[in-house]
Amino acid sequence: MNRILTGVQSTGTPHIGNILGAILPAIELSNDSNTESFFFIADMHSLTQIKDDTTIRENTYSVAATWLACGLDVDKVIFYRQSDIPQVCELSWYLSCFFQYNRLKLAHSFKDKSDRLEDVNAGLFTYPILMASDILLYSANYVPVGKDQVQHIQITRDIASKFNTLLGETFTIPKVKLNTSTMIIPGVDGEKMSKSRGNTIDIFTDDTSLKKQIMNIKTNSTPFEESKDPDTCNVFKIYSSIANEEDILAMRNNYLNGNYGYGSSKKELLDLILIKFKDIREKYNYYINDKVLLDELLYKGSEKAKVIANSKLAMVRSKLGFK
């Protein structure tokens, strides 16, 4: 049986790009009877950006509610909060002693901000090590990630290989599970949708705010009556990631035929989101308003995760000569 592991940072409410690109594909994988799935909320990772306890706590609940609203079956997976597993921090220290400083300087998570070193904290610099600990603690075979995280998985593989070579077989060497068919969802400004850019579409917000977000999607100034290129339009790209083939073709023809404005395509996108995600939005509101239930479900998952974490950590301690 293969074991997969994936985590979502608690840096805010998951946006439509997170849902389509990571959460729904991961849930689909978890429905495979030959797969054992570990899904966690990476609240400790979010500390590299957020230092407010209330914000982190509320974001964690929001991420948990999103997973559950999207159909995650907690009886089929191990679903937990990262900070409930302190063993991951101990393992992170051990792993950091097996990886070179110069290699960490090349990690994207650090390099992207290395021109502003005053903004870089030690947690951001060692982020790949904590990520490696998340993965190796549970002997994950596959880690579903986007292209921007492939380098971090390679770091995990390198650390595990070095430890195994020096001290004997201890860690499973994980493989990347890259979903190349998943479209990169553009944000309202045309760049990749990202909470850090503030260009997201939040399907869980109220209808008025959701409409405002969609109406703010950047488009060009092609006149209403003229033909438009759907493949360069952000509205069409987002619509195509959600709609069925028939509706995508209909909108494409509307663009090409002219006498069809961007306001109309935005209205169609809004209507589609309200219909497509109606049940998910209702379930999200149910879970986010019952935080006792969320805590209970996360606690149950963490108790299952700790059994595996303790077993792996005991093996690591033994290899290191610790009792």
Side-chain angles (χ1 to χ4, degrees):
M1 178 174 288
N2 288 320
R3 183 175 285 180
I4 68 168
L5 178 143
T6 192
V8 174
Q9 284 196 46
S10 53
T11 51
T13 301
H15 53 69
I16 195 170
N18 297 142
I19 293 168
L20 295 175
I23 293 175
L24 289 177
I27 291 174
E28 185 177 352
L29 283 174
S30 73
N31 292 325
D32 184 345
S33 59
N34 293 317
T35 297
E36 187 178 14
S37 302
F38 289 68
F39 297 147
F40 69 97
I41 302 171
D43 53 344
M44 288 196 293
H45 281 295
S46 68
L47 273 173
T48 63
Q49 301 178 47
I50 302 170
K51 305 298 188 289
D52 179 74
D53 60 330
T54 301
T55 300
I56 289 179
R57 188 181 307 112
E58 292 304 313
N59 286 351
T60 299
Y61 285 133
S62 181
V63 174
T66 300
W67 277 99
L68 295 166
C70 288
L72 181 68
D73 185 344
V74 294
D75 293 326
K76 288 184 177 180
V77 305
I78 295 181
F79 181 53
Y80 60 98
R81 182 167 31 207
Q82 183 189 32
S83 60
D84 287 339
I85 317 295
Q87 293 88 338
V88 74
C89 293
E90 182 178 344
L91 180 59
S92 182
W93 170 251
Y94 298 152
L95 297 180
S96 70
C97 297
F98 285 80
F99 201 69
Q100 300 91 335
Y101 165 80
N102 283 338
R103 287 284 307 281
L104 275 181
K105 287 172 62 178
L106 300 176
H108 298 318
S109 52
F110 170 72
K111 281 188 67 177
D112 291 346
K113 295 183 175 63
S114 59
D115 58 337
R116 304 185 310 277
L117 287 177
E118 66 276 9
D119 297 331
V120 176
N121 54 64
L124 180 66
F125 183 70
T126 58
Y127 172 96
I129 305 294
L130 182 58
M131 184 173 174
S133 182
D134 287 320
I135 297 165
L136 299 177
L137 193 60
Y138 302 103
S139 302
N141 303 105
Y142 295 97
V143 184
V145 292
K147 290 181 180 179
D148 58 335
Q149 291 289 330
V150 170
Q151 184 200 45
H152 290 152
I153 306 304
Q154 186 57 54
I155 289 174
T156 300
R157 290 172 55 85
D158 291 345
I159 295 174
S161 295
K162 185 172 183 179
F163 192 102
N164 289 350
T165 299
L166 292 174
L167 297 174
E169 287 299 316
T170 307
F171 295 118
T172 298
I173 308 298
K175 296 179 181 178
V176 169
K177 190 170 185 63
L178 191 64
N179 188 355
T180 55
S181 64
T182 299
M183 183 184 301
I184 294 178
I185 312 298
V188 297
D189 59 356
E191 300 296 324
K192 180 182 177 181
M193 191 174 291
S194 168
K195 288 188 281 288
S196 63
R197 291 192 176 102
N199 64 354
T200 63
I201 293 176
D202 176 9
I203 68 167
F204 301 121
T205 191
D206 61 87
D207 291 3
T208 300
S209 298
L210 179 60
K211 180 179 179 180
K212 184 177 180 180
Q213 291 174 11
I214 291 173
M215 292 303 168
N216 283 334
I217 297 174
K218 184 178 180 180
T219 53
N220 61 36
S221 57
T222 305
F224 174 84
E225 64 276 5
E226 291 187 14
S227 174
K228 299 168 184 65
D229 183 358
D231 296 323
T232 61
C233 177
N234 299 319
V235 181
F236 184 78
K237 290 176 182 177
I238 299 171
Y239 185 87
S240 299
S241 68
I242 308 169
N244 59 41
E245 291 185 10
E246 182 180 351
D247 290 337
I248 294 172
L249 180 60
M251 182 176 280
R252 173 178 287 277
N253 289 333
N254 286 335
Y255 270 75
L256 296 174
N257 292 336
N259 292 314
Y260 180 78
Y262 292 117
S264 297
S265 63
K266 291 177 180 179
K267 175 66 165 54
E268 287 192 49
L269 174 59
L270 174 62
D271 291 342
L272 177 62
I273 289 176
L274 291 175
I275 293 170
K276 186 87 171 181
F277 296 102
K278 180 177 183 293
D279 289 344
I280 289 178
R281 296 176 81 208
E282 290 177 352
K283 290 177 181 177
Y284 175 87
N285 287 329
Y286 167 78
Y287 285 113
I288 202 65
N289 288 313
D290 192 348
K291 296 189 173 63
V292 172
L293 175 60
L294 292 177
D295 279 327
E296 179 184 332
L297 294 175
L298 290 170
Y299 174 77
K300 287 181 178 179
S302 70
E303 289 300 294
K304 296 177 185 177
K306 282 179 183 177
V307 173
I308 299 167
N310 283 329
S311 176
K312 178 61 69 176
L313 201 52
M315 181 188 300
V316 173
R317 286 172 177 162
S318 176
K319 293 291 179 70
L320 293 170
F322 302 149
K323 290 186 179 181

